[in-house]
Amino acid sequence: MRELMTKLEQASALDRVGDRLQRVVQSILRPQRVRDALHGVWLGHPLHPAMVQVPVGSWISAAVVDLLPGQRRAATALVALGTFSAVPAAVAGLNDWAGLARDQRRIGLVHAASNSIGLALYAGSLAARLNGRHGLGRALAYLGLSAASTGAYLGGHLAYKQGAQTTQSVSELHRISDGWHSLADMATLPQRQLVTREVDDVSVILYRHGDEVTVMLERCPHQSGPLGQGEVQEINGHDCVVCPWHGSTFRLNGGEVVHGPSANDQQVLPTRVVDGMLETRLP
Ligand code: FES
């Protein structure tokens, strides 16, 4: 299985289809507000994995109920719920997929194809059940569950092995030692400019606004872009940093994500000033 996954990650033959689909998804889901909503910016957490709970739960429940006598109506209702709820979950997944790196998009494409086959089989199962052909409906549902399970395996690989839509920056905290670390002389720290410093080899950005100074990890939670090279923009009265790679935007007074593709906030570190020196430590 590991070999197969590695081959899929390197399968450049998938890029023609992938690149075309990426352009289609990006042109349809163009409004920033729609993209942010589907990424889960409002939730502070990727939305797609939360949404897939409904179809997966319904379909697995239908598979169990199908084994029990006299439960045709319950099984049909569960298949219907799973089939209809899979559509918005797929749209959220495509929105995330369009912002991934190329090797992630290859796995994501096969993940989407497996789930699309699963969805089509469940739609066929629903149609068969509504026409009274419950035996066929059951068979199609079990085939659909097999396809969706393959999709789930690939989704797990995408998230846990390739790190798609997981926070890339927070593991940096494990490289920072305990205790306070000296960062900068407040007298020399400029106002409203990004300054990059290191804490135990971990890059952080400093942003001073009046007497308040924010210290946050520099590595973007989306795909490790250098936030220190980003642009500062005022959004809704808050100074924000825009990642130079894909435009994820974070508030500089708290790290809250404002625009995706990241759905995760950026990690901010506690600060104090001792004898005019700015210090930081692990949260
Ligand atoms: S690395 Fe993608 S938005 Fe920052």
Side-chain angles (χ1 to χ4, degrees):
M1 214 54 186
R2 288 191 179 100
E3 261 178 48
L4 177 63
M5 289 298 114
T6 304
K7 275 187 186 147
L8 280 178
E9 285 175 13
Q10 296 168 352
S12 55
L14 294 171
D15 293 344
R16 253 181 64 189
V17 179
D19 290 352
R20 211 171 284 171
L21 181 62
Q22 185 191 35
R23 282 194 294 276
V24 171
V25 172
Q26 285 173 337
S27 67
I28 292 173
L29 303 175
R30 188 179 290 272
Q32 180 82 56
R33 201 174 286 186
V34 173
R35 288 206 308 269
D36 286 347
L38 289 169
H39 283 309
V41 167
W42 55 277
L43 190 61
H45 187 284
L47 190 57
H48 174 65
M51 291 180 85
V52 298
Q53 303 304 313
V54 182
V56 169
S58 303
W59 288 340
I60 291 175
S61 302
V64 175
V65 169
D66 264 338
L67 297 173
L68 306 175
Q71 298 294 333
R72 286 178 174 177
R73 287 183 67 182
T76 303
L78 285 165
V79 168
L81 177 61
T83 303
F84 289 115
S85 61
V87 176
V91 174
L94 278 171
N95 184 50
D96 287 347
W97 171 84
L100 298 179
R102 185 155 264 178
D103 60 323
Q104 296 170 327
R105 285 207 306 273
R106 290 170 186 156
I107 295 285
L109 195 64
V110 187
H111 164 72
S114 302
N115 285 334
S116 299
I117 292 168
L119 180 57
L121 287 163
Y122 271 108
S125 167
L126 181 61
R129 289 167 197 260
L130 292 175
N131 285 310
R133 302 179 67 188
H134 289 276
L136 176 62
R138 257 198 302 269
L140 289 173
Y142 283 120
L143 287 172
L145 190 60
S146 306
S149 300
T150 305
Y153 179 88
L154 290 158
H157 183 86
L158 194 53
Y160 300 117
K161 158 74 167 49
Q162 294 182 292
Q165 290 303 89
T166 57
T167 305
Q168 299 294 311
S169 54
V170 81
S171 58
E172 301 244 280
L173 293 178
H174 304 146
R175 297 199 288 126
I176 298 178
S177 55
D178 288 335
W180 288 96
H181 300 262
S182 222
L183 272 179
D185 186 345
M186 284 293 283
T188 62
L189 202 55
Q191 289 282 350
R192 303 185 79 172
Q193 280 180 38
L194 296 175
V195 173
T196 306
R197 288 280 189 280
E198 296 209 335
V199 181
D200 286 345
D201 295 335
V202 173
S203 197
V204 294
I205 53 174
L206 283 50
Y207 186 76
R208 179 176 188 176
H209 191 169
D211 285 338
E212 298 292 319
V213 183
T214 295
V215 176
M216 64 164 60
L217 296 176
E218 196 212 359
R219 199 170 149 183
C220 177
H222 179 232
Q223 283 177 10
S224 306
L227 292 181
Q229 294 169 30
E231 191 188 332
V232 175
Q233 282 182 12
E234 193 177 318
I235 298 174
N236 298 330
H238 298 282
D239 288 355
C240 299
V241 58
V242 181
C243 178
W245 283 9
H246 313 104
S248 288
T249 304
F250 306 92
R251 271 168 57 166
L252 281 160
N253 58 346
E256 189 179 307
V257 63
V258 176
H259 295 309
S262 174
N264 298 300
D265 299 338
Q266 178 58 311
Q267 182 67 53
V268 169
L269 304 183
T271 58
R272 71 177 184 184
V273 176
V274 177
D275 296 332
M277 287 299 291
L278 177 72
E279 296 182 350
T280 193
R281 64 167 169 78
L282 285 170

